[in-house]
Amino acid sequence: MRTLPRRLGVAIVLAAIVVFLSIKLNAFRDYQIAEVAVYFTAVAGLTVLTGLSGQISLGNGAFMAIGAYTTALLLLHLSWPFIAVLVVAAAATAVAGGVVGIAAARLRGPYLAGATLMLGVALPSIAYAWPGVFGGDQGLNVVFTAPGFLGANFPLTRWQAWVSAAVALVTLVLLGNLVHSRIGRNWRAVRDDEVAAALDGINVAAARGRAFVVSATCAGLAGALLAIVTALVAPGAYTITLSIALLTGAVIGGLGSLAGALWGSLIIVLVPTYVTDVSTSHGLSSTVGANIPIVAYGVVLILVMLVFPQGIQGGLQRIVIAFFGPNQKSRTWRIAPTPHVTPSADETPASQHEKEGTS
Amino acid sequence: MKRSQRLRWQATALMTVTTLAVTACSSSSSSSASSPSSSSAALTASAPGITATTITIGSHQPLTGPAAPGYSEIAPASTAYFDYVNANGGIYGRKIVYKYLDDAYNPTITASVVHQLVLQNNIYALFDGLGTPTHLAVVSFLNSQKIPDVFVASGCECWNQPTTYPETFGWQIDYVREGKILGQYIAQHFKGKKIAYFYQDDDFGMNGIKGLSDEIPASMVVTKQSYAPTNVNIGPQVAALRASGAQLVVSFSVPAFTALLKLYSLKLGFNPTFAVSNVGSDPTTLAGLLETFAKQGGATVNGSQLTNGIITDLYLPSTADTSNSWIKLFTKVRNQYDAKAPLDYNVMYGMAVAYTFVQAMFKAGRNPTRADLVSAIQGGLPQGPMVAPFAYSSDSHAGATGAYIAITQNGVGVQQGPVLATDTSATGPITPVTGTQPPPPASGIPSP
Amino acid sequence: MPVVEFLQLTLSGISFGMVYAAIALSLVLIWRGTRVLNFAQGGMAMLTTFVAIEVIYHTHSYWTGFFVALAAGLALGAICELTVVRPTIGKPPLNAVIVTIGLLILLEGLAGIFFGGQFRSFPAAFSITGLKVGRTSLGVSRSDVFVVAAVLVTTLVLAVAFKYTSAGLRMRATAFNAKIAQLSGIRVARVLTVGWALAGLLGALAGVLVSPSTFLYPNSMDVIFVYGFTAAVIGGLDSPAGAVVGGLLLGIALSYASGYLGGSVGSELTSLIAFGILVAVLMIRPDGLFAGAQMRRV
């Protein structure tokens, strides 16, 4: 997807697929399309942050919470049209992302991971501290209906799927633009070798901060979508589990790749459902039956990482190359080279032996 | 491994995963086992989720995750009672199929599984959805789809909104009523003493306190301490309770935190009387949690010694009261269909709410539509295992109206005084309930 | 009395803080040796504690269960390293993170299947009634003292072993420069496994010490892990001393916060306060309190 026309083409094709599927498949699948779109929006931002600019974030769930609460509050108190709410939610989260980005500029590797982990854990508890505003444990209800011109019988799930997919595709195109622009190249330069990038005149701190802003904005949009899809914004929905799921989706799908963000989102949404159906239909005790999907999900994560170290997108690429041979074409959607999410520059030499092992 | 070998490995793995995924996506997952039946010709598929032989209902429950301990016992207990009913003629000959899915107490997952249950599994009704924030995520959806949303497992008043949520019904006593009933007893029996509140920082705790405050004069309350369920270190709160000189602590806490309250009080040498909401006072559960500390706490051997003297409000019979005919019934069902579970508060809750559902289904008729179930409940239901009548009517979708005060002795809640019923308003009276609790039918199944 | 209250809060903070320190120490051990962030540390601790409670239940002996848990921790750590983590060495660093996350989820699911999802009451080593000074009961019990002592003793034993035994020397050499250590004949792979085994032991210790206060269930160590990880980051992931200091600092600070802000407010804001402390430390020293020498940036 190197050029803008190509990206738009991909987006239009995907939009057509979504519309087709949303009409052909049942209402539950529409709901799942909406879920996939929500996660894609967030995971795409995260994969850019972590894969392209090399900054790990375990706190993007907190940014989703900011977007979601902004949406809920605006819809509750001001009844603005959804587009306006989306813009404001994105802006609010972008500001938060900027603040975090500034603070995170000096942090590397596990220290950044620790700080963002704590952010992901701590931010939702603000909802408990001011229950009058944020609704406390019960959260805020979100009312979202399909517009009148579609007719009274238009299923809400289909409308949710369309809106979410539209936002996701816009995000895809915009992120694609960024990734292939100079900003994207700067990110990769900063990721690969900070000192060299600085010598080259790149403002490292600004580039890193910009990545956080972009990633947070995507998460904020995803949060806004999640608010209208699930109709409730409560702290129980934005726990650290969400942040971890996003990171997992990004890495499993293929870090740094937008197609990878799609695979990751599909896994997040589809794997738990499938295994639940299987386990409850075999007469297992309820505790065992409920934990089997958990065990299966853990095993899937481990296996995919061991078998496809570059994630699913990386695996797909290698298979395609194996069958069709390396050529100009396949390089256009090749996954980003191995990111160095390394600790600070004064790391101990013990890590050298790992770095040399990577490509 | 050679590069080409590894690639083949990866290709095979990928193709397997893809095939699995495609199969998964295209498999239908309806679970009603409908074979053409030769039963009574009068039974028809009168509504989605109802066939000639089955009634399929769904629920969302926290089966895994931090909220699972305790609550995950409820759905298997309901299933046990449904199995008992199914084995003894079912509902007009139909078997109940109870499909409950795990939501890990996460509202996002709740929304997802309830969409699946309604849109893919075509359930007839949503039964006993558990949790306040979780169920709030799906209550509008259920009502917009006109799915009966019966007997929500939460004491929030939010389920009693017949105009906004006509399909939704509560079941257990709500927290405000509880607070009032407990509060009145305390105000009468602890005049002049210092009272402290200890409560969970969500609607459960806060509504409980609201009810208490309607009955207990503010001058008696020396301190209020809340806790967050994510933070087990309640040492500072208990220290504050001790420092306030409270002689009675009223606690709206879940069992784990009631046990922690007791443990930290032991540690600090703080020995007030405790009054605990029924949510967190079950002697069987508490004894299990406190057992390993019993010796150190000065008790002789078992954990139930540490629960002696706890004042609570019960809207169902006390779980260890083996003389009660409802407990006998539930013990029988448990022994046969859920043998590994202890007969504690959650297990009894599961069976009791299942009993009420079966009553409602019988009342709904031989070939009920969804609307029939809603009108059956609105027409009023017999109280069943409840100690006080239900409040169901076309104006009220609230469940239990009353409870009795009990003091725990040797693991059993011993009733003190009559069953008391009230409403949720600040000034509404608390009145004794006349008549005794009717026993279950001999078969253990409500009659049609 | 304010002095008593201060003393009480400090002592109870130290008690919880030592548990965080144990988790932090195990994370540091693994990070130094294998450059992996072990997100499964809490899950491993939980599983070994379940093993302990089963042993205690069947033998009626706390200490048998205690030492079996430690042994199980050694075994579990080694097994995890050999099966699941070893293949990720040399691959992109985030893969190991995802693998340990998968391991955590797997362990929690297995615990649910084999031990059930309900609360288990876990005994304390000694009496839980508060020690008395005169007639006032301090909010600190013999069990709390044991918690502090157990972690301190284990830390000191490990420190001494690292410094004065040849096995310890091998581990330090591998952590310093694995290539050269390999060239001088050290079996680096085995050293890495031992590192993980010791981390498993520390996690098992933390689990057994804290479970009386949290009750034991598949997710019971999740919150403890988060604070342990935070403590490790505060202290600096390469520094064992930092892990202990970070744990103590966090435990005491959170205790003061709960105590002086009022239990209600404090308990809700615990994570925010921990976040504040973490950010404050990292802004001043981005690699933790006990970071190594800073390189000058161009």
Side-chain angles (χ1 to χ4, degrees):
Chain A
M1 288 212 305
R2 241 210 206 153
T3 61
L4 179 58
R6 240 189 223 165
R7 251 169 269 139
L8 286 174
V10 168
I12 290 174
V13 167
L14 284 175
I17 293 178
V18 164
V19 171
F20 177 72
L21 285 179
S22 71
I23 295 177
K24 271 285 168 206
L25 297 175
N26 68 34
F28 176 57
R29 298 300 177 195
D30 286 350
Y31 188 78
Q32 288 190 308
I33 291 174
E35 286 184 299
V36 171
V38 168
Y39 285 113
F40 174 80
T41 311
V43 173
L46 181 60
T47 206
V48 163
L49 175 72
T50 305
L52 289 192
S53 83
Q55 301 179 85
I56 184 172
S57 168
L58 285 165
N60 274 39
F63 294 129
M64 282 183 74
I66 294 177
Y69 271 100
T70 311
T71 305
L73 288 169
L74 285 175
L75 287 175
L76 194 63
H77 297 295
L78 293 178
S79 321
W80 283 0
F82 187 59
I83 288 277
V85 171
L86 261 183
V87 169
V88 175
T93 323
V95 168
V99 170
V100 171
I102 294 173
R106 300 177 65 197
L107 301 179
R108 300 289 181 274
Y111 304 98
L112 184 57
T116 50
L117 176 77
M118 211 55 217
L119 174 71
V121 169
L123 202 76
S125 64
I126 293 181
Y128 292 102
W130 283 279
V133 177
F134 296 108
D137 191 52
Q138 292 176 270
L140 300 169
N141 282 310
V142 174
V143 179
F144 185 75
T145 49
F149 67 81
L150 288 168
N153 286 327
F154 196 82
L156 180 62
T157 48
R158 193 180 301 159
W159 177 239
Q160 288 169 331
W162 284 8
V163 170
S164 312
V167 174
L169 290 173
V170 168
T171 308
L172 172 68
V173 173
L174 292 178
L175 276 182
N177 288 348
L178 262 181
V179 163
H180 288 95
S181 71
R182 183 198 292 163
I183 297 179
R185 285 195 294 278
N186 285 354
W187 284 335
R188 268 168 266 152
V190 164
R191 171 197 72 198
D192 289 339
D193 193 326
E194 264 188 52
V195 177
L199 286 171
D200 206 38
I202 297 174
N203 186 338
V204 170
R208 292 167 59 97
R210 218 173 281 136
F212 255 101
V213 170
V214 167
S215 167
T217 312
C218 293
L221 285 171
L225 290 176
L226 192 61
I228 58 150
V229 167
T230 56
L232 179 82
V233 178
Y238 297 94
T239 59
I240 194 62
T241 314
L242 177 60
S243 299
I244 290 181
L246 294 179
L247 182 69
T248 308
V251 179
I252 292 255
L255 200 59
S257 148
L258 292 175
L262 180 61
W263 311 137
S265 311
L266 285 169
I267 290 207
I268 293 175
V269 173
L270 294 178
V271 170
T273 315
Y274 168 62
V275 187
T276 306
D277 287 346
V278 163
S279 65
T280 53
S281 60
H282 280 79
L284 294 160
S285 98
S286 136
T287 313
V288 174
N291 278 292
I292 286 186
I294 310 250
V295 171
Y297 191 66
V299 169
V300 165
L301 291 187
I302 295 175
L303 280 182
V304 173
M305 281 288 87
L306 295 185
V307 174
F308 299 113
Q310 310 286 1
I312 293 179
Q313 178 66 6
L316 282 176
Q317 268 170 213
R318 295 171 83 121
I319 290 169
V320 166
I321 291 175
F323 281 117
F324 298 117
N327 58 28
Q328 259 335 89
K329 260 200 175 150
S330 70
R331 267 212 281 274
T332 59
W333 46 281
R334 185 169 52 189
I335 195 166
T338 318
H340 284 298
V341 187
T342 54
S344 53
D346 56 331
E347 57 191 313
T348 66
S351 68
Q352 295 298 327
H353 95 95
E354 282 115 24
K355 263 217 267 195
E356 273 143 334
T358 61
S359 52
Chain B
M1 211 193 276
K2 288 203 324 194
R3 196 163 169 275
S4 54
Q5 279 179 334
R6 190 152 30 99
L7 279 173
R8 252 176 259 143
W9 212 136
Q10 290 176 337
T12 324
L14 193 65
M15 284 194 281
T16 323
V17 170
T18 322
T19 321
L20 278 174
V22 167
T23 336
C25 287
S26 53
S27 72
S28 100
S29 48
S30 161
S31 65
S32 48
S34 44
S35 46
S37 81
S38 54
S39 59
S40 159
L43 292 181
T44 61
S46 51
I50 296 202
T51 69
T53 50
T54 58
I55 301 169
T56 305
I57 54 176
S59 186
H60 61 86
Q61 302 279 323
L63 301 175
T64 59
Y71 294 138
S72 55
E73 293 179 314
I74 294 180
S78 299
T79 309
Y81 185 73
F82 290 143
D83 287 343
Y84 176 73
V85 170
N86 290 343
N88 290 293
I91 298 187
Y92 299 120
R94 290 191 182 94
K95 295 205 192 311
I96 305 168
V97 176
Y98 183 26
K99 197 170 171 62
Y100 55 94
L101 296 181
D102 179 22
D103 68 359
Y105 213 74
N106 180 335
T108 307
I109 304 181
T110 313
S112 198
V113 301
V114 169
H115 273 80
Q116 180 184 337
L117 287 168
V118 170
L119 300 173
Q120 183 137 315
N121 301 118
N122 291 311
I123 53 171
Y124 171 67
L126 194 88
F127 165 71
D128 199 38
L130 198 145
T132 309
T134 44
H135 201 73
L136 281 173
V138 295
V139 65
S140 314
F141 170 67
L142 289 167
N143 277 272
S144 70
Q145 300 277 317
K146 300 218 179 350
I147 311 284
D149 176 21
V150 300
F151 312 140
V152 181
S154 140
C156 177
E157 297 168 84
C158 14
W159 320 123
N160 179 14
Q161 295 184 62
T163 32
T164 332
Y165 300 132
E167 310 283 332
T168 303
F169 293 86
W171 182 80
Q172 69 191 70
I173 192 173
D174 64 72
Y175 308 129
V176 176
R177 277 187 167 94
E178 260 203 88
K180 284 175 65 176
I181 292 173
L182 261 182
Q184 186 199 49
Y185 180 83
I186 291 168
Q188 285 170 354
H189 288 79
F190 288 85
K191 272 205 189 48
K193 297 276 199 334
K194 295 186 188 168
I195 317 282
Y197 296 157
F198 180 68
Y199 62 101
Q200 185 157 301
D201 64 351
D202 63 2
D203 71 299
F204 159 50
M206 296 201 277
N207 282 334
I209 301 299
K210 187 166 129 192
L212 287 173
S213 310
D214 290 340
E215 294 295 318
I216 300 179
S219 54
M220 282 171 75
V221 181
V222 289
T223 182
K224 297 185 195 172
Q225 298 291 321
S226 73
Y227 70 88
T230 47
N231 184 356
V232 291
N233 183 9
I234 56 169
Q237 284 95 318
V238 180
L241 289 171
R242 180 182 74 163
S244 71
Q247 293 151 301
L248 170 82
V249 174
V250 189
S251 178
F252 267 80
S253 53
V254 290
F257 281 85
T258 314
L260 285 174
L261 175 65
K262 188 80 192 161
L263 286 175
Y264 276 99
S265 302
L266 276 175
K267 186 192 253 199
L268 289 173
F270 176 49
N271 208 6
T273 312
F274 287 105
V276 183
S277 151
N278 65 67
V279 172
S281 71
D282 177 45
T284 316
T285 311
L286 287 179
L289 290 169
L290 293 171
E291 203 154 64
T292 58
F293 306 102
K295 280 199 203 108
Q296 298 151 357
T300 42
V301 179
N302 55 19
S304 69
Q305 303 278 356
L306 287 178
T307 62
N308 282 345
I310 292 182
I311 303 168
T312 185
D313 62 293
L314 297 177
Y315 63 95
L316 289 168
S318 174
T319 52
D321 182 5
T322 45
S323 65
N324 181 292
S325 45
W326 287 98
I327 300 295
K328 285 195 189 123
L329 166 65
F330 293 144
T331 312
K332 181 172 100 175
V333 172
R334 187 277 310 255
N335 292 342
Q336 214 172 345
Y337 295 101
D338 194 12
K340 290 211 199 101
L343 190 68
D344 62 15
Y345 169 82
N346 285 309
V347 169
M348 179 182 65
Y349 183 105
M351 293 201 223
V353 68
Y355 185 93
T356 307
F357 179 74
V358 170
Q359 271 187 318
M361 284 307 298
F362 272 120
K363 197 166 170 220
R366 285 193 81 84
N367 289 306
T369 60
R370 282 173 169 154
D372 286 336
L373 179 59
V374 173
S375 5
I377 304 174
Q378 277 188 173
L381 288 177
Q383 65 190 67
M386 293 288 191
V387 304
F390 286 118
Y392 299 129
S393 73
S394 46
D395 307 310
S396 165
H397 285 195
T401 52
Y404 61 84
I405 299 291
I407 299 188
T408 308
Q409 290 298 336
N410 295 323
V412 183
V414 176
Q415 184 164 350
Q416 315 284 316
V419 176
L420 300 163
T422 183
D423 63 6
T424 55
S425 71
T427 49
I430 303 172
T431 49
V433 167
T434 51
T436 49
Q437 182 190 42
S443 64
I445 301 177
S447 42
Chain C
M1 274 178 37
V3 175
V4 173
E5 195 189 359
F6 176 76
L7 202 59
Q8 210 161 280
L9 289 174
T10 312
L11 292 171
S12 102
I14 291 179
S15 178
F16 266 99
M18 275 313 211
V19 174
Y20 303 146
I23 295 281
L25 208 50
S26 64
L27 290 171
V28 164
L29 256 179
I30 289 181
W31 176 260
R32 272 169 66 104
T34 55
R35 276 297 182 267
V36 169
L37 279 177
N38 182 15
F39 274 86
Q41 193 62 55
M44 290 162 62
M46 172 272 300
L47 200 65
T48 51
T49 314
F50 264 111
V51 170
I53 191 73
E54 291 292 334
V55 168
I56 293 176
Y57 184 66
H58 285 108
T59 65
H60 299 290
S61 158
Y62 175 84
W63 294 107
T64 314
F66 181 83
F67 285 107
V68 166
L70 297 186
L74 283 170
L76 187 59
I79 292 172
C80 289
E81 198 271 334
L82 286 169
T83 53
V84 152
V85 178
R86 180 71 64 85
T88 63
I89 307 278
K91 298 290 190 329
L94 272 185
N95 288 18
V97 167
I98 302 300
V99 161
T100 57
I101 290 175
L103 186 60
L104 170 68
I105 295 174
L106 172 68
L107 290 175
E108 285 179 348
L110 287 177
I113 290 178
F114 291 112
F115 299 108
Q118 308 308 324
F119 284 119
R120 297 287 286 270
S121 177
F122 195 90
F126 298 99
S127 160
I128 56 158
T129 46
L131 299 169
K132 284 193 175 13
V133 171
R135 286 207 308 151
T136 13
S137 209
L138 287 181
V140 170
S141 63
R142 261 188 226 118
S143 275
D144 292 330
V145 173
F146 173 68
V147 168
V148 174
V151 177
L152 269 180
V153 164
T154 313
T155 313
L156 285 171
V157 165
L158 282 177
V160 162
F162 266 90
K163 200 148 194 208
Y164 295 110
T165 66
S166 54
L169 183 60
R170 283 198 285 274
M171 291 197 72
R172 280 187 293 134
T174 311
F176 184 72
N177 190 322
K179 270 239 155 68
I180 296 185
Q182 198 157 24
L183 287 172
S184 29
I186 294 176
R187 298 223 215 131
V188 166
R190 185 176 294 182
V191 167
L192 297 184
T193 311
V194 169
W196 269 74
L198 286 176
L201 177 132
L202 281 166
L205 180 67
V208 164
L209 292 176
V210 85
S211 290
S213 306
T214 63
F215 305 116
L216 182 61
Y217 57 99
N219 292 79
S220 59
M221 293 296 286
D222 284 356
V223 174
I224 306 289
F225 168 77
V226 169
Y227 287 128
F229 185 33
T230 307
V233 172
I234 287 178
L237 273 169
D238 277 302
S239 163
V244 176
V245 168
L248 283 174
L249 183 69
L250 198 60
I252 295 174
L254 293 180
S255 182
Y256 290 156
S258 294
Y260 291 123
L261 287 178
S264 322
V265 174
S267 78
E268 267 153 34
L269 298 182
T270 308
S271 50
L272 277 169
I273 291 164
F275 179 59
I277 296 172
L278 179 63
V279 168
V281 168
L282 288 179
M283 288 300 100
I284 304 169
R285 292 183 71 82
D287 296 325
L289 286 174
F290 285 67
Q294 297 273 5
M295 261 169 39
R296 280 229 261 149
R297 293 186 205 286
V298 172

